Amino acid sequence: MIPAQEQIARNFALILARIEAARKSALKPAGFTKLIAVSKFHDAEHIRPLLEAGHRLFGESRIQEAQAKWLPLKRDYPDIELHLIGPLQTNKAREAVGLFDAIHSLDRVKLARVLTSECERAGRSPVLFVQVNTGEEPQKAGVAPKDATAFIAEARGLGLKVNGLMCIPPLGEPPAPHFALLAKLAAEESLPLLSMGMSDDFETAIRFGATHVRVGSALFGERDQTGGSSAAAVVKPMVRP
Ligand SMILES: *Cc1c(COP(=O)(O)O)cnc(C)c1O
């Protein structure tokens, strides 16, 4: 393996051990919290160490990037499970339903409608998380907490099965109150899945009952996002242990 791959394999073992420790101290059963390895902006070369270590659950935020990267990898590893964690435009819903096993960004009625018909058409239904804008940030996707109950009822009314909730706490705020709010809303709606926690706060999220943590940079290193639409992925050497 090249040095970057060795570093990723080490990061992976470390993150798994931290998840396991947090899961135990939260008194959750084995396997309760799953690691979604967020591989956006990182290419196959950097993903392979995880595949070789047996990991199969990955998250991507853009449809086109995910298709280009994962369709070839799925030939070698057919049991890969792919989650869409980024926003979904209705005109990409068909491709999303075709590629992803779970969608974490259901947040509006129009999208719920389109997903209903695309799931019927494809005869396949990805696991669905409703994204909640727990910080009520104007620039952020997600339904407002006070609208969550009505939105979930509407999605269910369309025939969609909602499986869980997802949130991205505001930058620079303690995440714990946001995780607590998401967990409370999920309990009220009897939703079993909670997608919360990223590189900097996944242990806190596990303490509040996360079933899925979405970890990118702590595994793969910092992303080079300067190119905007550029799909080129650059892994900078990791500085942290
Ligand atoms: C990029 C991304 C992540 C991973 O973030 P890191 O801080 O790199 O772990 C998690 N969730 C969502 C929605 C993302 O877009």
Side-chain angles (χ1 to χ4, degrees), residues 76-126:
D76 294 346
Y77 299 93
D79 55 342
I80 278 166
E81 187 180 327
L82 270 189
H83 288 212
L84 178 66
I85 60 168
L88 177 56
Q89 253 110 52
T90 48
N91 64 359
K92 296 278 173 62
R94 182 167 300 178
E95 285 161 292
V97 167
L99 181 65
F100 290 98
D101 302 290
I103 295 172
H104 291 234
S105 48
L106 174 58
D107 66 350
R108 53 202 196 280
V109 175
K110 186 178 173 208
L111 180 58
R113 284 217 181 86
V114 175
L115 282 176
T116 306
S117 56
E118 291 303 336
C119 289
E120 263 166 34
R121 185 181 175 276
R124 112 186 260 281
S125 300

Side-chain angles (χ1 to χ4, degrees), residues 15-27 203 206:
I15 297 288
L16 278 190
R18 285 173 56 186
I19 289 172
E20 195 56 8
R23 195 267 305 159
K24 278 189 189 147
S25 61
L27 306 176
E203 282 143 323
I206 292 169

Side-chain angles (χ1 to χ4, degrees), residues 38 40 61 85-86 166 168 198-200 214-218 223:
V38 176
K40 64 185 183 196
S61 53
I85 60 168
M166 177 272 220
I168 309 171
M198 312 186 358
S199 289
D200 291 332
R214 311 179 306 266
V215 178
S217 47
R223 295 175 288 272

Side-chain angles (χ1 to χ4, degrees), residues 29-164:
F32 185 84
T33 305
K34 295 187 172 61
L35 168 64
I36 302 175
V38 176
S39 48
K40 64 185 183 196
F41 300 107
H42 294 287
D43 61 17
E45 184 179 304
H46 299 101
I47 292 168
R48 280 198 189 271
L50 267 63
L51 290 168
E52 282 162 22
H55 194 69
R56 292 294 181 269
L57 175 53
F58 293 87
E60 290 283 344
S61 53
R62 299 167 186 212
I63 313 259
Q64 258 164 329
E65 180 188 346
Q67 282 175 330
K69 200 189 302 181
W70 287 99
L71 291 177
L73 284 169
K74 276 189 156 194
R75 266 175 244 132
D76 294 346
Y77 299 93
D79 55 342
I80 278 166
E81 187 180 327
L82 270 189
H83 288 212
L84 178 66
I85 60 168
L88 177 56
Q89 253 110 52
T90 48
N91 64 359
K92 296 278 173 62
R94 182 167 300 178
E95 285 161 292
V97 167
L99 181 65
F100 290 98
D101 302 290
I103 295 172
H104 291 234
S105 48
L106 174 58
D107 66 350
R108 53 202 196 280
V109 175
K110 186 178 173 208
L111 180 58
R113 284 217 181 86
V114 175
L115 282 176
T116 306
S117 56
E118 291 303 336
C119 289
E120 263 166 34
R121 185 181 175 276
R124 112 186 260 281
S125 300
V127 166
L128 292 178
F129 294 79
V130 167
Q131 183 171 353
V132 181
N133 187 356
T134 56
E136 305 195 51
E137 296 171 277
Q139 83 288 4
K140 200 168 266 177
V143 298
K146 63 171 167 38
D147 300 332
T149 301
F151 176 70
I152 291 162
E154 198 157 0
R156 284 172 170 156
L158 291 168
L160 282 182
K161 182 167 164 48
V162 176
N163 305 87

Side-chain angles (χ1 to χ4, degrees), residues 185-234:
L185 290 171
E188 286 169 5
E189 296 298 324
S190 307
L191 296 172
L193 303 183
L194 276 175
S195 166
M196 57 190 197
M198 312 186 358
S199 289
D200 291 332
D201 55 20
F202 65 88
E203 282 143 323
T204 308
I206 292 169
R207 195 147 54 77
F208 286 93
T211 60
H212 293 76
V213 292
R214 311 179 306 266
V215 178
S217 47
L219 281 171
F220 296 106
E222 295 304 323
R223 295 175 288 272
D224 179 16
Q225 307 186 25
T226 50
S229 66
S230 158
V234 179

